[in-house]
């Protein structure tokens, strides 16, 4: 073990190293496979998912979710590096990446406020590299993760904090933030806040999204805002907002 490293930290580090090696082995097998590109890609996707599930099962994520974030980080970069060898004719190729990215975003949204600096920096660096590999092939499936990785923390963006605190940030900064995040990530943030019984903050964010010209009338942000009002406002307030909705 490294100096100052606990047994738990050592076990996690060795498990992550083993995971990285297994992914590298799968990529090597993919490149050297005698099968057709489509068949080799399907096999790679299946074995990639199996390896990730096996390793994810090692940790009790409800007690400590950070090792799973490390595993996702390694998986995302490993998969991105392999994409140039994967066949576009295999429908599993984009599906695996999409599910992996969504699972990682869901985990990130549920993490404690503070993620250790070294782990966060590794996440940022890996996502940036992976996003670059994919963009070279015209793939933008890591957009949500890329947006999160640009910040010092999952919920630390100053404009986002201002919106959820009802501080009314400058509208130009609000629009810039909403555009950078994209509707899918914003929708996931709102749903997470609702799930965590933070409906007032969810309502503030949903309201901003519903008023953003590029999202207006899309993604059901207005309906979500009204649902949040049902949880937080009086019947009179809700009636007023509903009247505004149908009179637009």
């Amino acid at each position: 073990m490294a100096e100052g490293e606990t047994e738990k930290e050592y076990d996690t580090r060795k498990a992550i190293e083993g995971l990285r090696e297994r992914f590298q082995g799968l990529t090597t097998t993919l490149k050297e496979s005698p099968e057709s590109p489509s068949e080799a890609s399907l096999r790679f996707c299946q074995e990639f998912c199996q390896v990730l599930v096996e390793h994810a099962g090692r940790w009790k994520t409800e007690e400590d979710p950070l090792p799973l974030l490390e595993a996702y980080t390694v998986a995302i970069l490993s998969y991105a590096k392999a994409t140039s060898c994967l066949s576009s004719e295999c429908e599993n190729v984009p599906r695996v990446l999409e599910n992996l990215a969504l699972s990682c975003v869901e985990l990130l949204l549920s993490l404690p406020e503070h993620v250790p600096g070294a782990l966060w920096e590794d996440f940022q660096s890996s996502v940036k590299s992976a996003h670059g590999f994919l963009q070279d092939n015209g793939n933008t499936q890591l957009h949500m993760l890329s947006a999160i990785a640009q910040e010092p923390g999952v919920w630390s963006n100053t404009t986002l904090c201002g919106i959820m605190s009802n501080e009314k940030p400058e509208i130009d900064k609000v629009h810039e933030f909403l555009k950078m995040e994209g509707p899918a990530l914003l929708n996931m943030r709102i749903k997470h806040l609702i799930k965590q019984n933070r409906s007032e903050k969810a309502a503030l964010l949903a309201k901003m999204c519903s008023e953003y010209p590029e999202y207006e009338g899309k993604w059901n942000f207005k309906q979500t805002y009204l649902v949040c009002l049902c949880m937080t406002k009086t019947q009179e307030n809700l009636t007023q907002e509903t009247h505004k909705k149908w009179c637009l």
Side-chain angles (χ1 to χ4, degrees), residues 88-101:
S88 59
E89 296 179 2
C90 178
E91 62 182 16
N92 285 41
V93 171
R95 185 182 302 160
V96 170
L97 183 59
E98 179 182 5
N99 290 339
L100 181 57

Side-chain angles (χ1 to χ4, degrees), residues 179-247:
K179 184 175 183 178
M180 178 192 72
E181 289 260 304
L185 177 54
L186 291 165
N187 196 43
M188 291 181 71
R189 285 191 186 277
I190 294 167
K191 287 182 177 180
H192 176 76
L193 290 169
I194 294 173
K195 185 178 179 180
Q196 295 297 310
N197 296 318
R198 301 166 71 185
S199 298
E200 290 186 2
K201 294 183 182 297
L204 291 167
L205 183 55
K207 186 173 188 293
M208 282 293 187
C209 292
S210 70
E211 294 173 351
Y212 179 43
E214 290 191 23
Y215 300 160
E216 195 171 2
K218 304 175 183 177
W219 287 84
N220 295 322
F221 285 123
K222 187 66 175 182
Q223 288 84 346
T224 301
Y225 171 52
L226 294 175
V227 169
C228 293
L229 286 183
C230 289
M231 303 175 184
T232 60
K233 297 274 188 175
T234 64
Q235 182 61 41
E236 181 180 355
N237 293 138
L238 179 59
T239 301
Q240 292 175 351
E241 290 294 336
T242 304
H243 179 71
K244 290 179 185 177
K245 173 184 180 335
W246 298 117
C247 289

Side-chain angles (χ1 to χ4, degrees), residues 150-151 157 159 163 170-182 186 212 214-215:
Q150 293 179 43
E151 303 295 337
N157 180 279
T159 301
I163 292 172
E170 294 179 16
I171 195 64
D172 288 344
K173 291 185 177 180
V174 170
H175 287 179
E176 180 182 354
F177 166 74
L178 296 179
K179 184 175 183 178
M180 178 192 72
E181 289 260 304
L186 291 165
Y212 179 43
E214 290 191 23
Y215 300 160

